[in-house]
Amino acid sequence: MLNLSLPPFEDLQAGIYLVPTPIGNLDDITLRALRTLASVDRIAAEDTRSAKILLGHFGLHKPLTSLHRDNEAQRSQDILAACKRGERFAYISEAGMPGISDPGYVLVRDAIQENVPVIALPGPSAALTALVASGLPSDRFLFLGFLPHAASKRRQALAFFVYQPLSLILYVSPHRVFEELQDLQEILGDRKATLAREISKFHEEYMRGTLSSIHQDLAQRTHKLGEMVLIIHGADDERAAQAHAILHTQLNPPTPNQDTQTPLTPLDPETAMQLDAQRLLELDAPLSQLAKQLAQRWPHITRKQAYDILQNLRADD
Ligand code: SAM
């Protein structure tokens, strides 16, 4: 047990305090997090058993209430009712920032609706920690959380991001990492990527390379992979610029003497798929082969539909 003897806050107002907790090393908790946990009346936790161990480590003992995915709606109402009577509640998820691929959103949404103050403390989260150490552009990014488990839904979800230029952040489960890496390579192409494993823990590791090199390297591992975040480079400049230019033309048909700077607008998947089909047609291959590739990359269309799309585009040329 660590005894820091930190003074509690004297004048903490009633409300919800979102308190991030360590994702690995227990020393990653902030002083403000500890003082807040020491000052609130009660703590709601995603997992009360692991919360008890964490709090015990810091010599904190508080009444605990569970709030997890299955009881979030009802339990949030109970907590908000208590806050309206003047209580101060902290919420901690199992690890990291509450509300980031963890419960917390419903509690915050309902609190705001009912005019209960929400105070979020800054602190550990696996997504941003992995991004900043990845070596990939960190100025603009998209956080995708976990991809859908079902292969068809996952591939469909990925199709939205083929042409967007921002770095992607994904949470990856060791049970699905190989099939996800395979889908990512097929749909996004073999891009630069970094896999961050066991951040802030004894076996912390950053695997920097491409989606395929990370895939090959992981396949040779015999030990447990642990917790992982995958950072993927955005679409290359050429792909992104082409997509933006086409979308810009669609949204703003050119008028004479107009400045033609393209805005940074997300591309809708239908336009992106058509663009992809046009690029495929530049390859010197039979239409049936191209249709197979197109349908693989855009799972919302069948191979027959892909064939028809390619045939129509070729006829238009
Ligand atoms: N709320 C957490 C946060 O702020 O990062 C995320 C919770 S989510 C249920 C758990 C996932 O986050 C893991 O499956 C893994 O993808 C990622 N993660 C959490 N801790 C990690 C760590 N120490 N190293 C790498 N990834 C981690």
Side-chain angles (χ1 to χ4, degrees), residues 50 56 66 78 127 132 134 147 153 182 188 200 230 272 279 296:
S50 58
S66 84
D78 302 341
V132 294
S134 68
L147 290 172
K153 287 213 169 104
Q182 188 60 42
L188 302 182
S200 184
L230 183 63
R279 283 171 64 97
Q296 262 175 0

Side-chain angles (χ1 to χ4, degrees), residues 29-283:
I29 200 152
T30 69
L31 296 181
R32 186 172 168 213
L34 289 175
R35 291 185 69 191
T36 302
L37 292 170
S39 311
V40 292
D41 300 296
R42 281 197 273 171
I43 298 173
E46 181 185 11
D47 178 345
T48 50
R49 274 183 18 186
S50 58
K52 220 175 196 164
I53 296 169
L54 178 78
L55 295 170
H57 175 79
F58 294 109
L60 295 168
H61 304 282
K62 287 274 162 174
L64 287 169
T65 306
S66 84
L67 186 156
H68 46 74
R69 289 249 182 263
D70 297 333
N71 70 0
E72 193 173 5
Q74 181 51 49
R75 196 48 58 81
S76 294
Q77 288 307 312
D78 302 341
I79 292 173
L80 295 178
C83 291
K84 285 182 189 167
R85 293 193 299 269
E87 284 197 37
R88 291 91 41 98
F89 253 94
Y91 181 60
I92 58 177
S93 63
E94 204 173 330
M97 187 63 84
I100 299 298
S101 296
D102 267 344
Y105 160 67
V106 171
L107 176 64
V108 171
R109 180 197 63 192
D110 293 357
I112 291 167
Q113 204 160 16
E114 297 187 30
N115 290 320
V116 171
V118 174
I119 301 98
L121 275 59
S125 183
L128 290 187
T129 313
L131 175 72
V132 294
S134 68
L136 299 175
S138 55
D139 50 347
R140 288 186 293 167
F141 55 87
L142 275 177
F143 173 66
L144 306 187
F146 290 103
L147 290 172
H149 294 192
S152 61
K153 287 213 169 104
R154 179 165 66 234
R155 294 170 67 88
Q156 211 159 338
L158 285 175
F160 277 88
F161 305 109
V162 170
Y163 280 93
Q164 74 74 32
L166 315 183
S167 297
L168 298 174
I169 308 178
L170 274 81
Y171 283 165
V172 185
S173 149
H175 307 296
R176 287 184 298 278
V177 64
F178 293 107
E179 53 187 282
E180 290 188 358
L181 280 168
Q182 188 60 42
D183 283 349
L184 286 160
Q185 283 166 75
E186 278 173 25
I187 293 172
L188 302 182
D190 190 16
R191 301 190 184 175
K192 277 191 191 165
T194 296
L195 187 83
R197 287 183 55 244
E198 298 286 87
I199 300 168
S200 184
K201 301 184 194 179
F202 186 73
H203 292 293
E204 174 174 296
E205 180 187 19
Y206 283 86
M207 298 167 67
R208 300 183 176 91
T210 60
L211 288 168
S212 64
S213 72
I214 291 169
H215 195 160
Q216 280 162 19
D217 190 343
L218 277 187
Q220 284 161 14
R221 307 285 174 108
T222 47
H223 54 74
K224 260 179 72 176
L225 297 176
E227 296 195 282
M228 292 176 283
V229 183
L230 183 63
I231 313 291
I232 306 171
H233 201 287
D236 62 31
D237 287 351
E238 190 204 341
R239 265 194 155 190
Q242 196 185 12
H244 286 138
I246 289 192
L247 183 65
H248 178 69
T249 321
Q250 279 185 348
L251 294 175
N252 313 289
T255 53
N257 305 324
Q258 191 184 330
D259 175 6
T260 53
Q261 241 196 357
T262 52
L264 208 62
T265 324
L267 194 71
D268 74 276
E270 196 51 38
T271 314
M273 186 272 291
Q274 293 275 344
L275 251 175
D276 205 23
Q278 258 161 6
R279 283 171 64 97
L280 278 174
L281 279 172
E282 288 164 18
L283 300 176

